[in-house]
């Protein structure tokens, strides 16, 4: 008997409960008894380490009703029905409805114990498999850490990644530089249940000119001058796994035609061979440009696009999720401090406010670089803002107002007319605010 597992035996007859208990204890099987379905149900859960054995004929909720409710709690729970002679047809129906086994009264000791022990072993295997799946899930389903952010667009993105990962479909990921396209691709691969299988990245913009076919398809001995031994191509390295085609918009059109055949047939043929090798791989492609527009302009094959974009993910730029910037910068700073083994330092409110207002053309990648400079003390302006006391609400509002005015004066070379027009205030209001903040237009590049 497996340690830690037990039998929940349910019967309204006290003598039968007593007899069953004696039989099971003699067989070294832990047992708990209940006189009714109502008494038994609270003991059941999805993590219940045991099996349910119940009589069919009981007052109130009978054994059939108890089985139905038990299987609603956990469809994998083994339920053994104890039947009288006249209940055989009913028991057979119950087997079709999900019962593990049925035992006739009066039950023979060997038959009774053997059925229960086999059911317990099945239950043990079920719970162990669940623990392993949960362990894998907790290891890989860390999307909140990989693609951090609490804005609605990021929550939706993570939900879509989880959904896409459960299908074998090819995926197209569209997003600006630095938005995390490869991170999303790896997450799909890991969450698919094939995380231990190959994930092969092909940077289509960096494929060596004149050697693209050899790199992708591999070759046999004698396929060309210098081919003295056979070689796997990148596609073949990804067998049974995932091919990630980064910057696919940069792939030459003639290579796109060959890729189309690979994606269609899920096979690859090495140079110098006629034998097709099955890949059984998922293709995930990433692009920073709109491939539909590229296809319309003849810069990308439309037939390849429609093969790849079975599922499409759009990676949002930081400009669409400014509310995430402060928390993301703090998280990236902690990561950088751990990597460089320096003391973690908390960015001040003034710095975070400034960061949230900045444009980030390099997106998260650029923000990560800023976090590293901050941690290493290489950004003097940000360092000063970190140590400054931001004060209360009014002080923070004033600081924000000063930053906006200063940025506009800087952009306009200190000229006042384009500045107050851009800020949509009067010349008098601009003068007053500059005086309040102690600002002199002559300090902004060229005065005018």
């Amino acid at each position: 008997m497996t340690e830690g597992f037990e039998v929940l035996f349910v019967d309204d007859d006290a003598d039968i409960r007593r007899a069953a208990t004696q039989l099971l204890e003699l067989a070294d099987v832990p047992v708990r008894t209940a006189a009714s379905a109502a008494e038994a149900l609270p003991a059941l859960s999805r993590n219940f380490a045991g099996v349910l054995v119940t009589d069919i004929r009981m007052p109130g909720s009978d054994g059939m009703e108890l089985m139905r409710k038990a299987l609603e709690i956990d469809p994998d729970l083994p339920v053994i029905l104890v039947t009288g002679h006249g209940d055989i047809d009913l028991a057979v129906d119950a087997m079709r409805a999900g019962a593990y086994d049925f035992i006739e009264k009066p039950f023979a000791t060997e038959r009774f114990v053997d059925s229960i022990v086999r059911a317990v072993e099945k239950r043990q295997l079920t719970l162990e498999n669940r623990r392993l799946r949960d362990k894998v899930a907790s290891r890989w389903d860390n999307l909140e850490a990989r693609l951090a952010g609490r804005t609605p667009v990021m929550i939706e993105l993570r939900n879509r990644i989880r959904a896409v990962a459960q299908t074998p479909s090819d995926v197209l990921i569209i997003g600006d530089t630095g938005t995390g396209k490869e991170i999303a691709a790896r997450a799909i691969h890991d969450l698919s249940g094939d995380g231990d299988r190959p994930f092969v990245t092909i940077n289509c913009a960096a494929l060596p000119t004149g050697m693209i076919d050899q790199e992708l398809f591999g070759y046999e001995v004698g396929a060309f001058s210098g081919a003295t031994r056979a070689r796997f191509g990148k596609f073949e390295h990804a067998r049974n796994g995932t091919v990630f085609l980064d910057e696919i918009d940069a792939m030459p059109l003639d290579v796109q035609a060959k890729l189309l055949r690979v994606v269609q047939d899920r096979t690859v043929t090495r140079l110098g061979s006629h034998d097709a090798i099955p890949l059984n791989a998922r293709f995930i492609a990433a692009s920073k440009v709109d491939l539909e527009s590229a296809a319309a302009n003849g810069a990308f094959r439309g037939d390849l696009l429609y093969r790849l974009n079975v599922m499409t993910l759009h990676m949002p730029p930081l400009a669409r999720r400014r509310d995430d910037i402060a928390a993301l910068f703090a998280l990236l700073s902690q990561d950088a401090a751990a990597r460089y083994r320096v003391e973690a330092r908390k960015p001040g409110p003034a710095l975070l406010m400034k960061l949230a207002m900045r444009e980030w053309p390099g997106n998260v990648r650029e923000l990560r670089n800023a976090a590293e400079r901050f941690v290493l003390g290489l950004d003097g302006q940000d360092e000063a803002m970190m140590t400054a006391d931001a004060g209360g609400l009014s002080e923070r509002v004033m600081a924000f107002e000063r930053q906006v005015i200063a940025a506009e004066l800087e952009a306009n070379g200190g000229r006042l007319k384009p500045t107050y027009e851009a800020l949509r205030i009067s010349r008098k209001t601009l003068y007053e605010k500059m005086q309040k903040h102690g600002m002199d237009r002559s300090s902004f590049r060229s005065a005018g």
Side-chain angles (χ1 to χ4, degrees):
M1 179 68 186
T2 304
E3 185 177 353
F5 283 71
E6 67 176 358
V7 172
L8 177 58
F9 185 87
V10 187
D11 198 301
D12 62 307
D13 189 318
D15 291 336
I16 293 179
R17 292 199 303 274
R18 192 177 303 112
T21 299
Q22 291 174 351
L23 283 176
L24 292 171
E25 287 179 347
L26 285 172
D28 199 27
V29 177
V31 60
R32 185 185 348 174
T33 63
S36 66
E39 184 182 343
L41 275 173
L44 300 177
S45 70
R46 183 170 169 78
N47 296 319
F48 173 62
V51 301
L52 172 64
V53 182
T54 179
D55 189 20
I56 289 184
R57 301 292 183 183
M58 294 188 297
S61 293
D62 62 12
M64 296 291 289
E65 179 66 12
L66 175 58
M67 182 185 75
R68 185 184 65 78
K69 291 180 178 178
L71 294 179
E72 285 179 356
I73 295 171
D74 185 353
D76 296 323
L77 176 67
V79 179
I80 298 174
L81 297 173
V82 177
T83 70
H85 180 70
D87 295 328
I88 297 299
D89 291 341
L90 184 60
V92 171
D93 290 339
M95 293 285 288
R96 296 193 183 102
Y100 176 79
D101 198 0
F102 69 90
I103 301 172
E104 289 186 76
K105 295 179 184 177
F107 27 76
T109 302
E110 186 176 348
R111 167 85 169 86
F112 182 64
V113 173
D114 180 65
S115 178
I116 289 174
V117 169
R118 284 188 288 106
V120 168
E121 291 173 349
K122 179 179 184 292
R123 183 62 172 169
Q124 179 193 27
L125 183 61
T126 295
L127 295 182
E128 181 62 25
N129 286 339
R130 284 181 185 171
R131 280 191 291 270
L132 290 173
R133 286 198 300 268
D134 291 344
K135 184 177 180 180
V136 170
S138 64
R139 177 184 176 191
W140 291 117
D141 192 2
N142 56 352
L143 279 179
E144 282 75 8
R146 296 191 193 193
L147 293 167
R150 295 194 173 275
T151 49
V153 68
M154 288 304 293
I155 294 172
E156 174 64 17
L157 174 64
R158 290 194 295 266
N159 289 339
R160 284 182 59 80
I161 286 175
R162 290 189 179 100
V164 167
Q166 302 310 308
T167 75
S169 301
D170 295 332
V171 185
L172 177 62
I173 304 176
I174 303 295
D176 294 340
T177 298
T179 50
K181 296 186 291 294
E182 183 169 355
I183 294 173
R186 286 187 178 274
I188 292 170
H189 172 75
D190 292 338
L191 292 173
S192 68
D194 296 331
D196 58 340
R197 296 184 178 184
F199 180 92
V200 176
T201 298
I202 300 173
N203 187 338
C204 300
L207 290 171
T209 304
M211 295 182 61
I212 294 179
D213 287 354
Q214 294 96 307
E215 286 288 315
L216 296 182
F217 299 94
Y219 50 82
E220 298 286 359
V221 176
F224 53 86
S225 177
T228 58
R229 61 177 181 176
R231 178 184 173 185
F232 283 12
K234 289 185 178 293
F235 289 144
E236 198 169 344
H237 278 295
R239 289 182 70 184
N240 302 315
T242 300
V243 178
F244 176 54
L245 299 161
D246 196 15
E247 297 191 68
I248 193 170
D249 50 286
M251 179 176 279
L253 285 170
D254 62 321
V255 182
Q256 290 180 30
K258 298 172 184 177
L259 172 62
L260 174 63
R261 176 64 63 184
V262 174
V263 176
Q264 283 177 334
D265 298 342
R266 289 300 194 272
T267 62
V268 62
T269 302
R270 295 181 191 172
L271 301 182
S273 172
H274 297 290
D275 298 327
I277 300 169
L279 291 181
N280 188 32
R282 183 209 292 262
F283 287 84
I284 302 178
S287 173
K288 61 179 178 292
V289 303
D290 179 3
L291 290 185
E292 289 193 0
S293 297
N297 295 329
F300 195 85
R301 289 185 65 104
D303 47 6
L304 177 58
L305 169 62
Y306 298 124
R307 281 285 178 180
L308 292 172
N309 70 345
V310 178
M311 302 280 190
T312 302
L313 296 176
H314 293 274
M315 305 298 294
L318 276 182
R320 283 188 56 201
R321 54 186 190 110
R322 290 189 181 277
D323 290 350
D324 283 336
I325 292 176
L328 189 55
F329 182 81
L331 179 64
L332 293 172
S333 297
Q334 292 175 2
D335 290 344
R339 277 188 286 107
Y340 290 115
R341 298 182 180 180
V342 298
E343 183 181 354
R345 301 154 72 188
K346 185 177 180 180
L351 172 58
L352 294 177
M353 181 174 62
K354 176 187 176 185
L355 294 173
M357 292 302 298
R358 273 183 55 183
E359 296 297 326
W360 295 96
N363 294 291
V364 178
R365 188 178 300 160
E366 184 182 2
L367 186 66
R368 180 180 290 108
N369 294 340
E372 292 190 358
R373 290 195 301 272
F374 166 74
V375 165
L376 297 175
L378 300 179
D379 191 328
Q381 184 179 11
D382 288 350
E383 172 75 11
M385 295 186 74
M386 180 204 73
T387 57
D389 180 9
L393 177 61
S394 60
E395 288 84 2
R396 298 185 192 191
V397 171
M398 286 185 64
F400 176 74
E401 183 180 82
R402 189 185 195 284
Q403 289 169 12
V404 172
I405 294 173
E408 202 61 45
L409 284 168
E410 183 72 21
N412 292 302
R415 291 177 293 127
L416 299 182
K417 188 173 187 298
T419 297
Y420 64 71
E421 287 179 347
L423 296 174
R424 300 177 185 176
I425 58 177
S426 67
R427 185 183 185 94
K428 180 175 179 293
T429 300
L430 176 60
Y431 268 123
E432 290 173 349
K433 291 186 180 295
M434 289 176 64
Q435 287 181 333
K436 178 176 68 174
H437 294 299
M439 302 170 72
D440 185 351
R441 67 173 182 166
S442 62
S443 62
F444 296 93
R445 294 180 180 174
S446 61

